[in-house]
Amino acid sequence: DIQMTQSPSSLSASIGDRVTITCRASKNIRTFLNWYQQRPGTAPKPLIHSASNLQSGVPSRFSGGGSGTDFTLTISSLQPEDFATYFCQQSFSSPYSFGQGTKVEIK
Amino acid sequence: QVQLQESGPGLVKPSQTLSLTCTVSGDSITFGSYYWSWLRQPAGKAMEWIGHIYSGGSTSFNPSLGSRVTISRDTSQNHFSLKLTSVTAADTAVYFCARVFGAVTYRLDVWGRGTLVTVSS
């Protein structure tokens, strides 16, 4: 099975900050990597698919990159509604696995 | 607008069977090339994929759960269900249902809000 490791597990940032979250796969998954946002008590929201493709309706301040084993999610200018938990998911092979999440908190 | 809603008991006794239903509105679970999936998230841990049922009716499961898992559907009610047998405290989690778009990209594009299931006597 493919293991997904995210870092950091949490971070504190201010409105307007640039934030980068990293996701590492235990084997080469090419660009089969999706990102999600999860706010407490609400349904997870898809942000990016196939490593770098923005889901329809997602603000352009979100971007994804990487291939192989190392991937990033970047928020170029943090907004109040971005304080949430973000997690990655590999879609290269079943069983589909997830990172443990990165909680973005207000500094 | 597609919406998914999980329902079922919030408390299950050890060794019993956990049963949840995901009711879908705004889309048909038999139409198109979608997969309808179940996932769970224990407190403080990563999301875990449990399995899915395809619009055509075939199923696939996470081997880590062995033969304990069944996913079925009721097309007349437009819902799909999860059964997990012989539960233990390790099965305590928030359970989510989600629609999967794309067999290759396997992106979970619509999720339910999740329902907490606690396994305890």
Side-chain angles (χ1 to χ4, degrees), chain B residues 1-58:
Chain B
Q1 181 183 357
V2 181
Q3 293 184 315
L4 285 72
Q5 177 68 57
E6 305 89 352
S7 60
L11 181 64
V12 181
K13 289 182 166 46
S15 80
Q16 294 192 344
T17 297
L18 180 159
S19 297
L20 295 174
T21 294
C22 181
T23 300
V24 179
S25 58
D27 195 5
S28 167
I29 62 172
T30 62
F31 180 76
S33 299
Y34 292 112
Y35 297 82
W36 302 90
S37 65
W38 284 100
L39 307 101
R40 67 181 183 178
Q41 186 174 36
K45 296 187 178 181
M47 191 77 68
E48 179 182 28
W49 175 75
I50 296 172
H52 66 231
I53 185 164
Y54 183 54
S55 55
S58 61

Side-chain angles (χ1 to χ4, degrees), chain A:
Chain A
D1 296 1
I2 299 173
Q3 311 303 317
M4 305 300 294
T5 304
Q6 273 183 249
S7 60
S9 56
S10 66
L11 64 90
S12 295
S14 302
I15 303 296
D17 283 354
R18 181 182 182 88
V19 167
T20 298
I21 297 166
T22 297
C23 180
R24 176 164 288 175
S26 61
K27 63 174 281 188
N28 185 346
I29 59 170
R30 292 153 58 184
T31 57
F32 292 96
L33 191 285
N34 304 321
W35 288 98
Y36 302 87
Q37 177 191 67
Q38 185 177 22
R39 296 192 186 96
T42 68
K45 172 186 175 182
L47 295 177
I48 287 170
H49 69 88
S50 306
S52 61
N53 293 281
L54 213 60
Q55 192 84 9
S56 176
V58 174
S60 58
R61 62 181 180 273
F62 289 92
S63 63
S67 66
T69 60
D70 294 312
F71 301 87
T72 57
L73 172 69
T74 298
I75 309 172
S76 60
S77 178
L78 204 60
Q79 298 303 300
E81 60 269 30
D82 301 336
F83 292 95
T85 296
Y86 297 85
F87 59 92
C88 59
Q89 171 234 336
Q90 64 84 14
S91 58
F92 181 79
S93 65
S94 177
Y96 308 101
S97 47
F98 296 78
Q100 80 278 16
T102 297
K103 186 173 184 179
V104 177
E105 299 175 300
I106 302 174
K107 182 184 285 185

